[in-house]
Amino acid sequence: MTATATGPSGGPTIPRADAVFTGGPAMPRQGAVEVEHLTHVYPSGKVLALEDVSVSIGHGEIVGVVGQNGSGKTTFSKHLNGLLKPTSGRVVVNGIDTAGKRVQELAAHVGYVFQNPNHQLFATTVQADLAFGPQNLGLPEDEVQARVERAIEFFGLQHVRELHPYRISFPMRKLVGIAGIYTMQPAIFVLDEPTTGQDHVTTQVINTLIRRLRDEGATVVCVSHDMPLLADVVDRLLVMWNAHLIADASPREVFSNTEVMARTKLEPPQVTSISMQLGRRPALSVDDLATDLESNLTSVGVA
Amino acid sequence: MQGVAVPVSLVAGNSIIHRLNPIAKLAWVVVVLVIAFMTRNPLFLLALAVVGLVLVTAAGIWRSFSRVMLILLPIGTSLIVFQAVAPAFPRPWTPITTFGPFTIYQEGIYSGLSLLSRAVSMTVFALVMIMTTHPSDLFTSLKRLRVPYVLNFMLAMTLQLIPVLQREIGVVMSAQKSRGMKSTGFGAVLPSFVPVFAGAIERVQQLSISLESRAFGSSGIKTSYRQVSVRPFDWLIGAMAVAFLIACIAIFLTNNFLDMSRTLVIPAELSLILVGLSALGFVGFVGSAIWLIVRA
Amino acid sequence: MPGTPIIEFDDVSFTYAETETPAIDHVSLTIYEGEYVALMGRNGAGKTTLELCINGIVPNMVIGDMEGAITVEGVSPIDTPVREMAKTVGMVFDNPEFQMSQMTAAEEIALGLENLGVPYEEMKPRITDALALVGLTGFEDRMPLALSGGQQQRLAIASTLAMQPRILVMDEPTSNLDPLGKQEVFEIAARLNREAGMTVVLAEHEVEVLAEFAHRVIVLDGGRIVANGTPEEVFDDVERLGAIGLRPPAATALADRLRASRAGWSGTLPVTTAGAVAALQPRLAAGVR
């Protein structure tokens, strides 16, 4: 469903307020996550948090979810592992309908990494904490240990494995938080603001991590404000605004859609703005734009 | 982080009770507390509770008040059940009738009624005060009474920290569930204390630095933003509280603390109804407590 | 923009108790009145410690070894009680919620005023003005803990502004905020600097924003100052920044990439979107095939 249809004169008509911008033609997908007409009303304050959201995410996709606070993006992400249940509509993850399933049961399929790692760390050493998840899944001890070793290897935690989680730096704790979910080997990872408040180096580490998870066959849903990160790493952006999903398209298509960007008051990454102001296709990283420009600029000789 | 709603419990209004100075109200609550513990006479205590209900009407807080009482009454009435069959009273006991395998005693009913009416009368007055006083006004008044600034501050913070800690515990429990943790209810809450505690410590550390940066703990003269007035009327109410206390003490001392445990005759039918109702209340309370714990 | 120095660090080092390496190491710098100075550095590079020295929290509230001399508005924060420094230096921290303690927004702002002994009659207007400065007019009776993160942070700023400091020091104030909240805080800082001449010292990771508003950027690495100049000067050495784990604005990184390629680059590297577009537009028009 596209938001701009051609009017009688052949030019684009103004998009309907409730239309979802989906950019180009939809690719066939086998569902890792199928969300159908999801509506959620918070019982306490009668707040409408989500209205009629429908999304289909295929296995191995990396999807970003963006929106201002209060747009519904966090509410949406919490439906993916059953922390919240739909008021109406359906959420199916890895082929399982979340309705009537407890969070603990869905944990083997969907791993939710909380924004503040302190909320998630329980054990007295890093390696004991990594074992927590698979132990809860009832796996035999040797399998648990094998997974812990793999995680330590994957995340580079060798030098902190014996340390207490609260004694390591905050960025390392964030990695341990993700590693603790990794050991559960879910098909789908939901990352809640993985780079918020982090410096450049840690952001790069998370960037690489997301790609490696995908390389291993995982599906990654990343809720974030970090537009440069998402532009560089995701296949698709889901844009939330005022409880609605107003765009579901590739980053380039979303950034070019001035109406969607204006409505959500989100800023594209700087490099994207530069590329668009130069009349080029929206760039998703410095490399992207540099490559695009290199052969198209008058040269000024080697500086 | 989302914001939390601090249950201020102040019910908006501009009644004569709302406008009373917080210390005058506090004086009455303290007096009622003292008096309630000086006698066991259920008729007297019930009368006191009725006076309290008049104040509830004057303050216009019936809706919120009844919501709280609805929760507290089942717990309170269960007192009657226990006391009826096993009175906290020196023997001999006078049996009235039987309730299944249990014998209901005269002293038991008396005791149960006095405990209940004592609890009710104290609660009514306390609620009237809490629901008509903004905590900041109370703290400002306490400041005037030379209660140390820091103590005030600690009280104010505690009030606000409760919903914050609730939220934090909720988040931690969600995180535990998200990692497959099986135990529910109380078993799940306990391990969450470490992260919540650590978070609370971090919060307090950062808050203290923030406060110091705003000259907290200055030894100089401190002014006050919140102004609470003290009118002659407030002094009168306060004085009345003291007078009431003295009068009651006088009456108690000369009338054996109004002890009617042997003289008040409770008919059998009434006692059965009372025990039956409170048994229901007790069962309801226990049932909902179990349900809440299991659901968590 | 030279003028009157308002903050001076002379060979300052501080080592937290029970640690080996100094958190800040032989730091010397001068900040002038009305400057907007950005502090950059990886987590742990010493930004927070440096800022806490300005109002004396380090070393007065923190245990450790202090060396060197600091002057802030003619006074040494090392030897002055923090509550005195609070009259000239306002501090805002990274967690908005952790700075809230009162039951209403007005009381939150009044807290500092009460501590300073400001007369009651003066409080009300100061509170109203402070709320207006941060765009929270009418929020007097709202409960701080029920506000959004962005609103709480603006309230924290208002609480320091009401005390009428000459210097506003902020430690990663937007790291816990959404994009809108970030925008609001940066906008307030820029406006205060521009219109009220407030000296602003801001530690942040949002490089693109710093490049736009800061007069000067100071880069810290391992407790030492490794760069101190205008945004154009500091961000030009892209490789150096990368070596210490930092990145320049995307505009600068782009120009640096082009500089190394056959397209080349002449002149200083841009640090803002406008700068990059202005430099590239004419070259593009001519060179497009």
Side-chain angles (χ1 to χ4, degrees):
Chain A
M1 175 180 43
T2 49
T4 47
T6 45
S9 56
T13 56
I14 296 162
R16 288 187 358 252
D18 56 339
V20 181
F21 172 68
T22 50
M27 296 184 301
R29 305 169 179 132
Q30 341 124 266
V33 175
E34 300 285 345
V35 177
E36 293 161 19
H37 302 291
L38 171 61
T39 297
H40 188 84
V41 180
Y42 276 114
S44 48
K46 301 191 189 84
V47 171
L48 177 67
L50 290 175
E51 189 167 11
D52 197 19
V53 174
S54 298
V55 174
S56 178
I57 300 174
H59 286 291
E61 280 199 85
I62 305 181
V63 173
V65 184
V66 296
Q68 302 289 354
N69 282 358
S71 59
K73 66 182 193 317
T74 313
T75 310
F76 172 77
S77 68
K78 291 195 170 157
H79 278 87
L80 298 180
N81 79 330
L83 282 170
L84 290 177
K85 298 292 198 294
T87 308
S88 71
R90 237 161 66 107
V91 176
V92 180
V93 291
N94 217 21
I96 306 167
D97 191 328
T98 62
K101 287 276 186 292
R102 293 158 87 224
V103 173
Q104 292 91 327
E105 294 170 68
L106 294 167
H109 302 272
V110 183
Y112 194 105
V113 181
F114 281 69
Q115 178 175 354
N116 186 347
N118 294 340
H119 289 138
Q120 239 166 329
L121 301 171
F122 304 115
T124 45
T125 64
V126 166
Q127 58 188 19
D129 194 81
L130 296 181
F132 187 69
Q135 279 166 348
N136 287 334
L137 292 179
L139 296 168
E141 195 53 32
D142 49 321
E143 171 67 19
V144 170
Q145 285 313 311
R147 291 193 184 191
V148 168
E149 287 309 314
R150 259 212 88 208
I152 291 178
E153 166 82 50
F154 191 87
F155 287 81
L157 300 174
Q158 295 86 348
H159 56 294
V160 296
R161 61 186 296 166
E162 304 273 346
L163 297 179
H164 192 290
Y166 282 114
R167 309 215 71 200
I168 61 182
S169 71
F170 194 78
M172 288 258 41
R173 246 179 279 160
K174 277 207 98 117
L175 286 181
V176 173
I178 304 175
I181 296 295
Y182 178 83
T183 50
M184 298 179 75
Q185 288 183 8
I188 302 152
F189 283 79
V190 180
L191 306 178
D192 187 11
E193 303 285 355
T195 59
T196 299
Q198 302 305 314
D199 62 13
H200 172 60
V201 172
T202 315
T203 303
Q204 290 304 100
V205 169
I206 303 283
N207 185 323
T208 312
L209 197 65
I210 293 176
R211 291 170 196 277
R212 291 176 64 202
L213 287 175
R214 191 259 305 272
D215 290 344
E216 290 203 337
T219 310
V220 181
V221 178
C222 188
V223 180
S224 182
H225 297 314
D226 193 338
M227 300 302 265
L229 168 75
L230 296 179
D232 190 36
V233 100
V234 306
D235 304 315
R236 253 160 80 204
L237 273 182
L238 304 179
V239 183
M240 300 295 303
W241 176 77
N242 201 19
H244 290 89
L245 177 69
I246 61 170
D248 175 0
S250 73
R252 280 193 227 279
E253 287 160 331
V254 171
F255 295 141
S256 335
N257 188 321
T258 43
E259 204 242 320
V260 163
M261 297 304 287
R263 189 114 55 94
T264 58
K265 300 204 188 96
L266 290 171
E267 290 287 313
Q270 187 176 61
V271 78
T272 316
S273 299
I274 295 174
S275 62
M276 297 199 304
Q277 286 185 39
L278 289 175
R280 313 295 296 170
R281 67 152 194 195
L284 299 180
S285 67
V286 169
D287 280 345
D288 190 12
L289 184 54
T291 319
D292 182 28
L293 289 176
E294 261 162 21
S295 36
N296 285 310
L297 287 174
T298 50
S299 53
V300 289
V302 179
Chain B
M1 255 186 265
Q2 340 147 229
V4 291
V6 178
V8 173
S9 64
L10 166 69
V11 178
N14 198 26
S15 70
I16 193 175
I17 315 281
H18 281 87
R19 283 180 273 128
L20 260 183
N21 182 289
I23 302 297
K25 289 186 256 191
L26 191 63
W28 269 99
V29 173
V30 171
V31 163
V32 167
L33 234 80
V34 170
I35 290 176
F37 272 98
M38 290 184 82
T39 180
R40 296 183 84 176
N41 188 314
L43 295 176
F44 178 84
L45 293 167
L46 219 60
L48 203 55
V50 169
V51 169
L53 292 179
V54 170
L55 296 176
V56 170
T57 316
I61 55 173
W62 268 104
R63 257 180 85 214
S64 315
F65 174 76
S66 24
R67 239 183 286 150
V68 176
M69 291 310 276
L70 217 64
I71 301 170
L72 294 180
L73 272 178
I75 311 170
T77 51
S78 51
L79 285 170
I80 295 186
V81 169
F82 293 123
Q83 286 296 301
V85 301
F89 215 83
R91 290 180 182 264
W93 296 341
T94 328
I96 307 176
T97 179
T98 54
F99 184 69
F102 301 110
T103 316
I104 302 178
Y105 296 98
Q106 150 87 355
E107 290 77 13
I109 298 284
Y110 182 86
S111 202
L113 280 176
S114 53
L115 285 176
L116 178 65
S117 49
R118 171 184 294 168
V120 170
S121 57
M122 291 190 318
T123 310
V124 170
F125 275 84
L127 284 177
V128 167
M129 178 182 162
I130 292 173
M131 289 184 173
T132 60
T133 314
H134 194 291
S136 299
D137 287 334
L138 175 61
F139 297 138
T140 309
S141 308
L142 288 174
K143 236 195 307 191
R144 287 263 211 93
L145 290 184
R146 306 272 190 274
V147 173
Y149 184 55
V150 177
L151 203 72
N152 248 340
F153 191 82
M154 273 163 44
L155 287 170
M157 266 263 75
T158 311
L159 203 69
Q160 296 181 82
L161 278 182
I162 295 169
V164 169
L165 290 177
Q166 272 181 304
R167 180 193 67 194
E168 292 293 295
I169 292 177
V171 175
V172 172
M173 284 178 56
S174 295
Q176 287 175 315
K177 284 194 232 172
S178 303
R179 293 179 71 186
M181 181 151 175
K182 294 286 195 287
S183 56
T184 50
F186 202 64
V189 174
L190 221 50
S192 74
F193 281 6
V194 171
V196 171
F197 208 68
I201 292 179
E202 209 199 321
R203 164 189 292 265
V204 166
Q205 276 179 331
Q206 290 208 26
L207 179 61
S208 63
I209 294 185
S210 173
L211 290 172
E212 279 276 346
S213 305
R214 283 184 275 162
F216 190 85
S218 279
S219 46
I221 299 178
K222 264 190 289 292
T223 43
S224 180
Y225 171 65
R226 255 195 129 88
Q227 307 277 309
V228 182
S229 56
V230 189
R231 307 158 295 174
F233 184 61
D234 301 312
W235 283 107
L236 181 64
I237 299 290
M240 276 170 61
V242 177
F244 183 64
L245 178 66
I246 295 173
C248 285
I249 293 178
I251 295 174
F252 291 160
L253 287 175
T254 53
N255 286 289
N256 189 30
F257 292 94
L258 297 180
D259 183 11
M260 287 165 96
S261 51
R262 311 279 180 203
T263 52
L264 188 67
V265 177
I266 299 160
E269 301 81 19
L270 180 61
S271 60
L272 273 173
I273 293 172
L274 280 172
V275 175
L277 280 176
S278 31
L280 276 172
F282 176 66
V283 167
F285 163 63
V286 171
S288 34
I290 294 178
W291 182 70
L292 272 173
I293 292 174
V294 166
R295 224 173 65 103
Chain C
M1 54 166 285
T4 341
I6 196 170
I7 299 174
E8 286 177 274
F9 277 57
D10 187 11
D11 204 33
V12 177
S13 302
F14 183 79
T15 314
Y16 285 97
E18 285 163 44
T19 53
E20 302 273 303
T21 31
I24 48 175
D25 198 1
H26 296 289
V27 163
S28 297
L29 59 84
T30 310
I31 295 178
Y32 298 90
E33 218 181 311
E35 274 199 296
Y36 185 136
V37 175
L39 286 182
M40 274 183 66
R42 295 203 57 196
N43 289 340
K47 307 189 293 294
T48 305
T49 309
L50 200 156
E51 289 190 322
L52 291 177
C53 287
I54 300 177
N55 77 339
I57 298 236
V58 165
N60 292 306
M61 262 187 89
V62 172
I63 311 172
D65 291 314
M66 182 76 156
E67 282 166 26
I70 308 176
T71 318
V72 174
E73 271 236 301
V75 179
S76 163
I78 301 174
D79 307 311
T80 315
V82 175
R83 54 191 87 109
E84 280 300 308
M85 295 306 303
K87 294 177 187 166
T88 29
V89 183
M91 289 212 65
V92 176
F93 302 90
D94 62 311
N95 194 317
E97 200 186 280
F98 288 4
Q99 295 169 96
M100 307 283 109
S101 65
Q102 301 302 302
M103 308 232 30
T104 63
E107 284 170 80
E108 190 67 57
I109 300 176
L111 189 73
L113 301 178
E114 287 173 353
N115 292 334
L116 291 182
V118 171
Y120 172 68
E121 302 73 36
E122 234 186 278
M123 285 195 200
K124 214 46 204 299
R126 284 216 209 183
I127 292 172
T128 317
D129 287 342
L131 286 172
L133 275 172
V134 300
L136 290 178
T137 308
F139 273 67
E140 281 87 346
D141 294 319
R142 298 278 293 270
M143 201 177 302
L145 284 180
L147 299 176
S148 74
Q151 291 167 331
Q152 283 173 345
Q153 196 62 304
R154 285 190 279 155
L155 180 58
I157 297 174
S159 304
T160 61
L161 288 181
M163 297 169 80
Q164 295 171 351
R166 306 284 310 283
I167 304 165
L168 184 61
V169 180
M170 306 212 273
D171 190 7
E172 300 195 31
T174 70
S175 56
N176 287 303
L177 303 182
D178 66 351
L180 210 57
K182 285 193 216 263
Q183 236 180 294
E184 288 162 357
V185 170
F186 286 132
E187 204 264 297
I188 293 169
R191 189 160 27 93
L192 286 169
N193 177 252
R194 203 174 51 229
E195 293 171 13
M198 178 86 74
T199 309
V200 174
V201 180
L202 176 61
E204 257 296 343
H205 293 305
E206 300 279 336
V207 167
E208 280 81 14
V209 178
L210 297 179
E212 177 133 9
F213 294 114
H215 296 125
R216 206 137 57 86
V217 177
I218 298 178
V219 182
L220 289 168
D221 183 45
R224 290 167 198 233
I225 294 184
V226 296
N228 183 346
T230 64
E232 286 78 8
E233 288 165 1
V234 170
F235 294 133
D236 188 84
D237 198 345
V238 178
E239 204 183 308
R240 177 88 179 296
L241 287 175
I244 58 173
L246 297 174
R247 66 171 186 90
T252 318
L254 173 70
D256 184 63
R257 263 287 303 268
L258 293 171
R259 182 163 66 178
S261 76
R262 62 188 174 88
W265 191 281
S266 67
T268 47
L269 301 184
V271 295
T272 59
T273 308
V277 172
L280 289 168
Q281 193 92 70
R283 295 176 60 184
L284 202 60
V288 168
R289 301 185 197 136

